[in-house]
Amino acid sequence: MARFAVELVFGDDQEARLAVRPAHREYLSGLVAKGVLLVAGPWADQTGALLVYEVADEAELREVLAADPYTPAGVVAATRVHEWQTLTGTWA
């Protein structure tokens, strides 16, 4: 399994994002239940979010991201994906 830190940068249309946010959060809850999503949350200034996934590989991650309701809604301006090698801490 691989871990990925994903940074979402929200687009300017906050109203559109807030409209789809309940579906986005429900989707994330399902991923948590499956053990795919380890942690997620928005930046305090609401300009984006950080999510940490544990999946087989980047191809699976891309499928997970594509299925997120935020993707077809077009409310994310940029997505930054980094494979993350945890070295110490409770997740290592």
Side-chain angles (χ1 to χ4, degrees):
M1 297 299 276
R3 288 203 177 120
F4 291 88
V6 176
E7 180 185 1
L8 303 180
V9 178
F10 297 149
D12 293 332
D13 191 345
Q14 182 177 352
E15 186 175 324
R17 182 176 57 81
L18 293 178
V20 74
R21 187 168 69 179
H24 163 74
R25 289 186 172 175
E26 182 177 336
Y27 176 70
L28 295 184
S29 292
L31 295 177
V32 169
K34 294 177 186 176
V36 171
L37 180 63
L38 302 179
V39 68
W43 302 129
D45 65 4
Q46 301 297 308
T47 60
L50 178 68
L51 305 94
V52 178
Y53 296 90
E54 189 166 65
V55 292
D57 53 28
E58 189 169 346
E60 182 181 350
L61 175 68
R62 296 292 179 180
E63 290 174 7
V64 168
L65 295 175
D68 187 321
Y70 272 2
T71 302
V75 297
V76 174
T79 303
R80 297 183 183 108
V81 174
H82 302 276
E83 187 167 2
W84 186 30
Q85 298 175 342
T86 54
L87 298 177
T88 188
T90 58
W91 291 350

